[in-house]
Amino acid sequence: MRIVNLILLLLLVGLLSYYWLLHESELQGSRWTCNELSTNFISAPYQKYQEIGERYVLYFASSSNLTIFQKGKLVFKDGEHEKYEAIIDADYKVKKDKISVKYKKIDWHLKPQNAPIFVQDLDSLKDFETDLNFIINDEKLYFHNRKNHENTNFVCFAS
């Protein structure tokens, strides 16, 4: 009887450990694709843009490392446009439905030549830390700001 109880206890501990590890690393190993289109800019440096279309691929490589492939197109009001591509390395921590991200490194693969403020803004993310809430529902990953501001709400799709 003691052996059966010991085996049951070990199974229970194993299952709880597995659940805890799985729960803590819900994003680990996952990849998500997000699209965003921004228009109607109110800040003076961005008023020269008609729109900025961006696509992100978020790869949660481990339980603490996030790689973001970002590419997009800047469309100027005069009809010109420039494409860009960057890879961003970040650290992240998850606690329940909250994620904290700290950007570590920004590598440009294609830097827009006529958008110095845009480049400066993306480069300024280095060492920046942000906190977001997230929800995974089916094949969708929803992010939203902890204060529920619209400008940080977006959805990504499993890829």
Side-chain angles (χ1 to χ4, degrees):
M1 186 66 166
R2 286 184 181 177
I3 292 178
V4 172
N5 285 341
L6 180 61
I7 290 172
L8 288 174
L9 179 64
L10 289 175
L11 280 172
L12 180 62
V13 168
L15 286 172
L16 288 174
S17 297
Y18 177 75
Y19 173 77
W20 181 77
L21 288 172
L22 185 64
H23 183 71
E24 285 295 306
S25 59
E26 186 174 14
L27 293 170
Q28 181 177 342
S30 66
R31 194 172 110 166
W32 304 86
T33 303
C34 321
N35 291 310
E36 186 176 353
L37 180 65
S38 302
T39 59
N40 300 321
F41 302 100
I42 56 172
S43 67
Y46 279 76
Q47 286 182 353
K48 68 180 179 178
Y49 301 116
Q50 174 142 353
E51 66 183 39
I52 299 175
E54 299 177 298
R55 180 174 183 203
Y56 307 92
V57 176
L58 309 175
Y59 176 55
F60 293 88
S62 70
S63 62
S64 63
N65 181 262
L66 168 63
T67 301
I68 303 167
F69 175 71
Q70 182 176 343
K71 69 186 282 185
K73 184 163 81 170
L74 307 170
V75 179
F76 297 86
K77 285 188 176 174
D78 65 5
E80 294 294 316
H81 65 274
E82 279 196 87
K83 293 182 179 182
Y84 74 92
E85 293 180 6
I87 294 179
I88 303 166
D89 287 321
D91 289 329
Y92 77 98
K93 294 178 187 172
V94 171
K95 288 188 180 177
K96 295 187 181 182
D97 62 345
K98 298 177 184 359
I99 184 169
S100 296
V101 177
K102 181 173 183 181
Y103 299 94
K104 296 187 316 184
K105 183 178 177 185
I106 291 93
D107 284 328
W108 288 95
H109 286 245
L110 180 59
K111 190 183 284 191
Q113 298 301 308
N114 297 316
I117 300 297
F118 180 82
V119 170
Q120 178 184 338
D121 285 351
L122 193 59
D123 282 341
S124 72
L125 285 178
K126 186 174 186 247
D127 296 325
F128 179 73
E129 218 168 318
T130 186
D131 296 322
L132 294 169
N133 291 331
F134 75 94
I135 299 168
I136 297 176
N137 187 356
D138 293 328
E139 297 288 309
K140 298 175 192 91
L141 172 62
Y142 299 93
F143 289 103
H144 57 98
N145 175 300
R146 290 188 182 180
K147 295 185 181 191
N148 295 319
H149 292 132
E150 289 292 326
N151 62 346
T152 54
N153 294 348
F154 60 99
V155 62
C156 302
F157 300 89
S159 58

